[in-house]
Amino acid sequence: MSDRIVDEEPAAVTHTGPKGVINDWRKFKLESMDQEALPPNKRELLRQMSSPHKPRDSCVGGFNRKMSAQEYELIKEDDEKSLRKYRKQCMEEMHESLSFGPKFEGVYDLDSGEAFLEVIEKEHRLTVVVVHIFNDGVQGCEVLNSCMDCLATEYPSVKFCRISAAATGAGERFSDDVLPALLVYKAGELLGNFLTVTQHFSEEFFATDVEAFLNEYGLLPEKECGPGADEDEADVE
């Protein structure tokens, strides 16, 4: 059987080095701009910039892939908003590829022991679950509930829940003298069991105190950047 050379188009490649990042940015810029509103010469330049491969039918005097002064000026003209959009897309793609687990909004109220067990046993293996067991009228419970509301917005990858001691079905184990209690789980395993957790705080405590306490035991993931992170980064640059 004779060998044959098959002339095929190269498969799409994900570029990772500095040149790859530049090429990906060029392609993103091309796709995000309004092509019809651009002058023909600028449209053609963007098209050439977006492809890291030299066309097969290009002549000797064809497009030089080294960045020219014209390319530099075109990239320089781009506004910060477009650059932030590109950065955000890259971060979202990286976050998704690393499978950091689901996101949550607010604190989840559990109304039964079955719901309590389900959230512990069936949650994503990478998700940290923080459960506040409380009773109305017990000192510190109401404040801790407010702290949980704040922390839920700061740590969307953590599932914060609360349940009254009576609803757990094990009220005898969670009497008022051990409340408020914080239980922390991950992949079905109990990582932290803090009874009368307010004994670790001053009489007047805040969400930052609860956050620091949980971080002391390594129970919270790294805090994610908020919506204003891009603007702060731009200011530094």
Side-chain angles (χ1 to χ4, degrees):
M1 181 176 179
S2 61
D3 295 334
R4 294 186 304 166
I5 298 177
V6 181
D7 189 19
E8 295 181 345
E9 290 292 331
V13 187
T14 301
H15 305 281
T16 54
K19 291 183 179 179
V21 173
I22 292 173
N23 286 327
D24 288 342
W25 162 240
R26 289 170 175 169
K27 183 176 180 181
F28 177 85
K29 182 179 176 67
L30 175 66
E31 292 174 348
S32 62
M33 295 184 74
D34 183 1
Q35 299 296 307
E36 297 302 323
L38 293 174
N41 59 336
K42 184 173 287 190
R43 191 184 316 164
E44 174 61 18
L45 179 58
L46 276 173
R47 185 193 66 78
Q48 291 173 332
M49 287 170 59
S50 68
S51 174
H53 303 292
K54 184 177 180 180
R56 296 186 178 187
D57 58 352
S58 61
C59 60
V60 176
F63 185 73
N64 187 355
R65 286 313 303 153
K66 291 184 179 180
M67 184 179 290
S68 65
Q70 190 178 12
E71 282 185 307
Y72 176 77
E73 288 301 322
L74 187 59
I75 292 177
K76 186 179 177 182
E77 289 173 6
D78 189 58
D79 55 52
E80 284 297 322
K81 184 178 180 181
S82 181
L83 183 57
R84 291 192 194 112
K85 183 178 178 182
Y86 175 68
R87 288 173 177 169
K88 182 180 179 181
Q89 177 178 303
C90 290
M91 291 299 295
E92 288 175 350
E93 289 175 354
M94 182 181 71
H95 194 284
E96 184 177 348
S97 66
L98 292 176
S99 300
F100 285 166
K103 298 293 185 184
F104 306 96
E105 294 184 1
V107 180
Y108 292 76
D109 292 299
L110 308 177
D111 56 7
S112 67
E114 290 76 13
F116 185 14
L117 291 176
E118 183 174 353
V119 77
I120 294 169
E121 296 174 354
K122 296 186 178 181
E123 197 47 73
H124 192 282
R125 61 184 179 80
L126 296 177
T127 298
V128 174
V129 180
V130 179
V131 183
H132 172 210
I133 301 178
F134 68 96
N135 258 342
D136 293 331
V138 174
Q139 185 176 4
C141 286
E142 185 176 354
V143 177
L144 188 54
N145 272 332
S146 297
C147 293
M148 295 273 284
D149 290 330
C150 294
L151 292 177
T153 64
E154 297 285 339
Y155 295 90
S157 63
V158 176
K159 188 166 188 176
F160 290 91
C161 307
R162 58 186 163 223
I163 183 171
S164 69
T168 63
E172 68 282 354
R173 293 182 56 190
F174 296 108
S175 56
D176 288 355
D177 59 334
V178 300
L179 300 180
L182 275 184
L183 279 62
V184 184
Y185 298 86
K186 185 177 182 180
E189 295 185 13
L190 179 64
L191 302 182
N193 182 18
F194 306 106
L195 303 179
T196 323
V197 68
T198 47
Q199 67 181 309
H200 301 284
F201 311 135
S202 59
E203 185 174 349
E204 186 178 8
F205 64 94
F206 305 92
T208 51
D209 299 309
V210 181
E211 178 184 27
F213 175 76
L214 292 174
N215 275 326
E216 184 179 345
Y217 289 88
L219 296 174
L220 291 177
E222 287 189 18
K223 186 180 295 186
E224 298 184 18
C225 296
D230 288 334
E231 286 75 3
D232 294 340
E233 184 180 346
D235 292 339
V236 172
E237 293 175 353

